[in-house]
PDB file of all heavy atoms in Angstrom:
ATOM      1  N   MET A 489      43.512 110.311 102.482  1.00  0.00           N
ATOM      2  CA  MET A 489      43.538 109.302 103.547  1.00  0.00           C
ATOM      3  C   MET A 489      43.718 109.994 104.888  1.00  0.00           C
ATOM      4  O   MET A 489      44.551 110.887 105.034  1.00  0.00           O
ATOM      5  CB  MET A 489      44.687 108.300 103.332  1.00  0.00           C
ATOM      6  CG  MET A 489      44.815 107.293 104.458  1.00  0.00           C
ATOM      7  SD  MET A 489      46.075 105.997 104.143  1.00  0.00           S
ATOM      8  CE  MET A 489      47.596 106.952 104.256  1.00  0.00           C
ATOM      9  N   VAL A 490      42.900 109.579 105.866  1.00  0.00           N
ATOM     10  CA  VAL A 490      43.074 110.012 107.246  1.00  0.00           C
ATOM     11  C   VAL A 490      43.147 108.750 108.100  1.00  0.00           C
ATOM     12  O   VAL A 490      42.206 107.953 108.117  1.00  0.00           O
ATOM     13  CB  VAL A 490      41.916 110.918 107.721  1.00  0.00           C
ATOM     14  CG1 VAL A 490      42.196 111.396 109.145  1.00  0.00           C
ATOM     15  CG2 VAL A 490      41.714 112.109 106.794  1.00  0.00           C
ATOM     16  N   ARG A 491      44.254 108.548 108.773  1.00  0.00           N
ATOM     17  CA  ARG A 491      44.403 107.373 109.635  1.00  0.00           C
ATOM     18  C   ARG A 491      43.515 107.516 110.868  1.00  0.00           C
ATOM     19  O   ARG A 491      43.208 108.633 111.320  1.00  0.00           O
ATOM     20  CB  ARG A 491      45.867 107.205 110.061  1.00  0.00           C
ATOM     21  CG  ARG A 491      46.835 106.999 108.907  1.00  0.00           C
ATOM     22  CD  ARG A 491      48.271 107.055 109.392  1.00  0.00           C
ATOM     23  NE  ARG A 491      49.208 107.077 108.284  1.00  0.00           N
ATOM     24  CZ  ARG A 491      49.813 106.010 107.789  1.00  0.00           C
ATOM     25  NH1 ARG A 491      49.583 104.818 108.325  1.00  0.00           N
ATOM     26  NH2 ARG A 491      50.665 106.109 106.791  1.00  0.00           N
ATOM     27  N   GLU A 492      43.136 106.384 111.454  1.00  0.00           N
ATOM     28  CA  GLU A 492      42.291 106.416 112.644  1.00  0.00           C
ATOM     29  C   GLU A 492      42.900 107.272 113.747  1.00  0.00           C
ATOM     30  O   GLU A 492      42.195 107.993 114.443  1.00  0.00           O
ATOM     31  CB  GLU A 492      42.052 104.989 113.154  1.00  0.00           C
ATOM     32  CG  GLU A 492      41.019 104.210 112.350  1.00  0.00           C
ATOM     33  CD  GLU A 492      40.542 102.964 113.085  1.00  0.00           C
ATOM     34  OE1 GLU A 492      41.063 102.683 114.190  1.00  0.00           O
ATOM     35  OE2 GLU A 492      39.652 102.282 112.554  1.00  0.00           O
ATOM     36  N   THR A 493      44.222 107.196 113.907  1.00  0.00           N
ATOM     37  CA  THR A 493      44.889 107.938 114.972  1.00  0.00           C
ATOM     38  C   THR A 493      44.881 109.448 114.738  1.00  0.00           C
ATOM     39  O   THR A 493      45.181 110.215 115.647  1.00  0.00           O
ATOM     40  CB  THR A 493      46.348 107.464 115.119  1.00  0.00           C
ATOM     41  OG1 THR A 493      47.002 107.552 113.842  1.00  0.00           O
ATOM     42  CG2 THR A 493      46.409 106.017 115.602  1.00  0.00           C
ATOM     43  N   GLU A 494      44.541 109.864 113.502  1.00  0.00           N
ATOM     44  CA  GLU A 494      44.550 111.278 113.146  1.00  0.00           C
ATOM     45  C   GLU A 494      43.155 111.897 113.088  1.00  0.00           C
ATOM     46  O   GLU A 494      43.015 113.100 112.845  1.00  0.00           O
ATOM     47  CB  GLU A 494      45.214 111.473 111.768  1.00  0.00           C
ATOM     48  CG  GLU A 494      46.628 110.956 111.680  1.00  0.00           C
ATOM     49  CD  GLU A 494      47.164 110.979 110.253  1.00  0.00           C
ATOM     50  OE1 GLU A 494      46.360 110.819 109.307  1.00  0.00           O
ATOM     51  OE2 GLU A 494      48.377 111.146 110.098  1.00  0.00           O
ATOM     52  N   LEU A 495      42.123 111.095 113.289  1.00  0.00           N
ATOM     53  CA  LEU A 495      40.762 111.573 113.052  1.00  0.00           C
ATOM     54  C   LEU A 495      40.389 112.767 113.927  1.00  0.00           C
ATOM     55  O   LEU A 495      39.826 113.752 113.431  1.00  0.00           O
ATOM     56  CB  LEU A 495      39.760 110.423 113.262  1.00  0.00           C
ATOM     57  CG  LEU A 495      39.746 109.360 112.157  1.00  0.00           C
ATOM     58  CD1 LEU A 495      38.839 108.200 112.557  1.00  0.00           C
ATOM     59  CD2 LEU A 495      39.279 109.958 110.825  1.00  0.00           C
ATOM     60  N   ASP A 496      40.655 112.682 115.217  1.00  0.00           N
ATOM     61  CA  ASP A 496      40.262 113.771 116.113  1.00  0.00           C
ATOM     62  C   ASP A 496      40.947 115.069 115.733  1.00  0.00           C
ATOM     63  O   ASP A 496      40.363 116.149 115.821  1.00  0.00           O
ATOM     64  CB  ASP A 496      40.597 113.407 117.564  1.00  0.00           C
ATOM     65  CG  ASP A 496      39.729 112.277 118.093  1.00  0.00           C
ATOM     66  OD1 ASP A 496      38.629 112.077 117.543  1.00  0.00           O
ATOM     67  OD2 ASP A 496      40.143 111.604 119.056  1.00  0.00           O
ATOM     68  N   GLU A 497      42.187 114.967 115.291  1.00  0.00           N
ATOM     69  CA  GLU A 497      42.982 116.155 114.982  1.00  0.00           C
ATOM     70  C   GLU A 497      42.679 116.716 113.590  1.00  0.00           C
ATOM     71  O   GLU A 497      42.607 117.935 113.395  1.00  0.00           O
ATOM     72  CB  GLU A 497      44.464 115.793 115.086  1.00  0.00           C
ATOM     73  CG  GLU A 497      45.419 116.889 114.676  1.00  0.00           C
ATOM     74  CD  GLU A 497      46.854 116.395 114.586  1.00  0.00           C
ATOM     75  OE1 GLU A 497      47.110 115.230 114.917  1.00  0.00           O
ATOM     76  OE2 GLU A 497      47.710 117.200 114.161  1.00  0.00           O
ATOM     77  N   LYS A 498      42.481 115.831 112.594  1.00  0.00           N
ATOM     78  CA  LYS A 498      42.477 116.282 111.209  1.00  0.00           C
ATOM     79  C   LYS A 498      41.137 116.239 110.487  1.00  0.00           C
ATOM     80  O   LYS A 498      40.957 116.934 109.483  1.00  0.00           O
ATOM     81  CB  LYS A 498      43.474 115.417 110.392  1.00  0.00           C
ATOM     82  CG  LYS A 498      44.923 115.643 110.709  1.00  0.00           C
ATOM     83  CD  LYS A 498      45.794 114.844 109.743  1.00  0.00           C
ATOM     84  CE  LYS A 498      47.268 115.113 109.946  1.00  0.00           C
ATOM     85  NZ  LYS A 498      48.097 114.357 108.976  1.00  0.00           N
ATOM     86  N   PHE A 499      40.205 115.397 110.924  1.00  0.00           N
ATOM     87  CA  PHE A 499      39.057 115.101 110.074  1.00  0.00           C
ATOM     88  C   PHE A 499      38.269 116.340 109.656  1.00  0.00           C
ATOM     89  O   PHE A 499      37.995 116.544 108.468  1.00  0.00           O
ATOM     90  CB  PHE A 499      38.115 114.090 110.742  1.00  0.00           C
ATOM     91  CG  PHE A 499      36.874 113.847 109.919  1.00  0.00           C
ATOM     92  CD1 PHE A 499      36.935 113.097 108.753  1.00  0.00           C
ATOM     93  CD2 PHE A 499      35.651 114.420 110.268  1.00  0.00           C
ATOM     94  CE1 PHE A 499      35.804 112.906 107.970  1.00  0.00           C
ATOM     95  CE2 PHE A 499      34.527 114.229 109.498  1.00  0.00           C
ATOM     96  CZ  PHE A 499      34.609 113.477 108.340  1.00  0.00           C
ATOM     97  N   GLU A 500      37.876 117.176 110.605  1.00  0.00           N
ATOM     98  CA  GLU A 500      37.028 118.324 110.254  1.00  0.00           C
ATOM     99  C   GLU A 500      37.735 119.267 109.290  1.00  0.00           C
ATOM    100  O   GLU A 500      37.126 119.785 108.345  1.00  0.00           O
ATOM    101  CB  GLU A 500      36.586 119.067 111.519  1.00  0.00           C
ATOM    102  CG  GLU A 500      35.535 118.304 112.315  1.00  0.00           C
ATOM    103  CD  GLU A 500      34.865 119.157 113.376  1.00  0.00           C
ATOM    104  OE1 GLU A 500      35.092 120.401 113.395  1.00  0.00           O
ATOM    105  OE2 GLU A 500      34.077 118.609 114.166  1.00  0.00           O
ATOM    106  N   THR A 501      39.040 119.475 109.495  1.00  0.00           N
ATOM    107  CA  THR A 501      39.809 120.347 108.591  1.00  0.00           C
ATOM    108  C   THR A 501      39.850 119.787 107.180  1.00  0.00           C
ATOM    109  O   THR A 501      39.623 120.503 106.189  1.00  0.00           O
ATOM    110  CB  THR A 501      41.243 120.517 109.119  1.00  0.00           C
ATOM    111  OG1 THR A 501      41.203 121.059 110.439  1.00  0.00           O
ATOM    112  CG2 THR A 501      42.049 121.430 108.217  1.00  0.00           C
ATOM    113  N   VAL A 502      40.125 118.472 107.076  1.00  0.00           N
ATOM    114  CA  VAL A 502      40.183 117.817 105.769  1.00  0.00           C
ATOM    115  C   VAL A 502      38.829 117.866 105.081  1.00  0.00           C
ATOM    116  O   VAL A 502      38.730 118.167 103.884  1.00  0.00           O
ATOM    117  CB  VAL A 502      40.663 116.353 105.933  1.00  0.00           C
ATOM    118  CG1 VAL A 502      40.460 115.558 104.647  1.00  0.00           C
ATOM    119  CG2 VAL A 502      42.135 116.319 106.351  1.00  0.00           C
ATOM    120  N   PHE A 503      37.766 117.585 105.827  1.00  0.00           N
ATOM    121  CA  PHE A 503      36.423 117.556 105.251  1.00  0.00           C
ATOM    122  C   PHE A 503      35.988 118.949 104.790  1.00  0.00           C
ATOM    123  O   PHE A 503      35.408 119.097 103.705  1.00  0.00           O
ATOM    124  CB  PHE A 503      35.428 116.996 106.275  1.00  0.00           C
ATOM    125  CG  PHE A 503      34.087 116.659 105.682  1.00  0.00           C
ATOM    126  CD1 PHE A 503      33.873 115.429 105.083  1.00  0.00           C
ATOM    127  CD2 PHE A 503      33.045 117.571 105.710  1.00  0.00           C
ATOM    128  CE1 PHE A 503      32.643 115.111 104.522  1.00  0.00           C
ATOM    129  CE2 PHE A 503      31.808 117.266 105.164  1.00  0.00           C
ATOM    130  CZ  PHE A 503      31.618 116.031 104.570  1.00  0.00           C
ATOM    131  N   LEU A 504      36.286 119.972 105.590  1.00  0.00           N
ATOM    132  CA  LEU A 504      35.926 121.338 105.220  1.00  0.00           C
ATOM    133  C   LEU A 504      36.623 121.771 103.932  1.00  0.00           C
ATOM    134  O   LEU A 504      36.016 122.406 103.061  1.00  0.00           O
ATOM    135  CB  LEU A 504      36.294 122.308 106.351  1.00  0.00           C
ATOM    136  CG  LEU A 504      35.264 122.501 107.461  1.00  0.00           C
ATOM    137  CD1 LEU A 504      35.839 123.384 108.568  1.00  0.00           C
ATOM    138  CD2 LEU A 504      33.975 123.113 106.915  1.00  0.00           C
ATOM    139  N   GLU A 505      37.888 121.412 103.812  1.00  0.00           N
ATOM    140  CA  GLU A 505      38.624 121.759 102.592  1.00  0.00           C
ATOM    141  C   GLU A 505      38.001 121.090 101.380  1.00  0.00           C
ATOM    142  O   GLU A 505      37.872 121.689 100.306  1.00  0.00           O
ATOM    143  CB  GLU A 505      40.087 121.343 102.711  1.00  0.00           C
ATOM    144  CG  GLU A 505      40.903 121.718 101.469  1.00  0.00           C
ATOM    145  CD  GLU A 505      42.335 121.255 101.530  1.00  0.00           C
ATOM    146  OE1 GLU A 505      42.689 120.507 102.460  1.00  0.00           O
ATOM    147  OE2 GLU A 505      43.117 121.626 100.632  1.00  0.00           O
ATOM    148  N   LEU A 506      37.564 119.841 101.554  1.00  0.00           N
ATOM    149  CA  LEU A 506      36.995 119.095 100.439  1.00  0.00           C
ATOM    150  C   LEU A 506      35.658 119.681  99.988  1.00  0.00           C
ATOM    151  O   LEU A 506      35.417 119.859  98.799  1.00  0.00           O
ATOM    152  CB  LEU A 506      36.832 117.616 100.835  1.00  0.00           C
ATOM    153  CG  LEU A 506      36.441 116.640  99.725  1.00  0.00           C
ATOM    154  CD1 LEU A 506      37.458 116.659  98.594  1.00  0.00           C
ATOM    155  CD2 LEU A 506      36.295 115.231 100.296  1.00  0.00           C
TER     156      LEU A 506
END
Side-chain angles (χ1 to χ4, degrees):
M489 176 175 70
V490 183
R491 299 171 189 264
E492 283 195 357
T493 54
E494 302 171 329
L495 287 173
D496 291 338
E497 175 189 356
K498 290 186 176 182
F499 176 74
E500 287 193 8
T501 302
V502 168
F503 192 85
L504 274 174
E505 181 183 8
L506 189 58

